[in-house]
Amino acid sequence: MMDNVITQVAALKTMTAAELKEQWKKLNESEPPPFNRGYLESRLAYRLQEIAYGGMKKDTVKRIEALRENIANNAPYKPGNKNRPPIGAILVREHRGIEHRVRVLKDGFDYNGKIYKSLTAVASNIAGVHWNGPMFFGLRRNR
């Protein structure tokens, strides 16, 4: 299958503009856009690979849709926190001989039945002094 896709993509360079437009109609079931040859070739190459190997992951499509909606609503971009553990994870830390367990929620952290907005608030509560939450629970190394 891979050889077939490579052959098809390579063949795009030898096609005439009219052939590229016909290929576009066949693969996309729509009229080709009025862009230059380079654009048509690159989009057709992507489409051939997409058909052969599958498109984007569902998570990626959802993220793009969310960003599109933000742009349409003039909402500011808010990147996700890459350091945040997955929802439902249990963070365990022993501090002064006591084991502490914190459950990660969608909008916070559950520690001993109390909901905290940040991991730093939980860590500071446990330690009795201000602590960086991700560092306290071993999610980040000290620089």
Side-chain angles (χ1 to χ4, degrees):
M1 179 164 80
M2 188 170 149
D3 290 338
N4 188 24
V5 174
I6 292 171
T7 304
Q8 289 179 38
V9 170
L12 295 173
K13 287 283 184 198
T14 64
M15 291 182 176
T16 66
E19 290 171 329
L20 287 173
K21 290 178 182 182
E22 281 305 310
Q23 182 77 337
W24 182 281
K25 289 177 188 176
K26 185 172 101 177
L27 295 175
N28 295 293
E29 298 176 1
S30 67
E31 288 297 315
F35 295 119
N36 64 25
R37 177 185 183 88
Y39 177 83
L40 286 176
E41 285 177 10
S42 68
R43 301 311 308 148
L44 284 169
Y46 179 87
R47 183 70 179 130
L48 287 167
Q49 294 173 77
E50 182 181 42
I51 291 168
Y53 306 121
M56 290 185 278
K57 294 179 182 177
K58 289 180 184 178
D59 291 348
T60 304
V61 173
K62 279 184 187 177
R63 182 72 180 128
I64 290 170
E65 289 301 321
L67 290 170
R68 183 181 292 154
E69 200 171 298
N70 279 0
I71 291 168
N73 295 329
N74 243 359
Y77 171 67
K78 294 180 183 175
N81 186 347
K82 294 177 185 174
N83 295 326
R84 185 180 172 90
I87 295 169
I90 305 291
L91 306 175
V92 181
R93 164 74 195 263
E94 185 178 322
H95 182 71
R96 296 187 178 167
I98 300 171
E99 185 177 271
H100 301 276
R101 294 178 170 270
V102 177
R103 187 166 48 104
V104 180
L105 306 173
K106 182 179 179 187
D107 296 319
F109 301 88
D110 178 6
Y111 173 64
N112 286 344
K114 185 175 177 189
I115 306 301
Y116 293 82
K117 287 193 178 240
S118 72
L119 203 50
T120 296
V122 176
S124 298
N125 181 314
I126 292 169
V129 294
H130 179 75
W131 254 96
N132 177 296
M135 202 174 293
F136 183 83
F137 285 97
L139 301 175
R140 186 183 315 154
R141 288 192 172 135
N142 192 356
R143 295 180 188 182

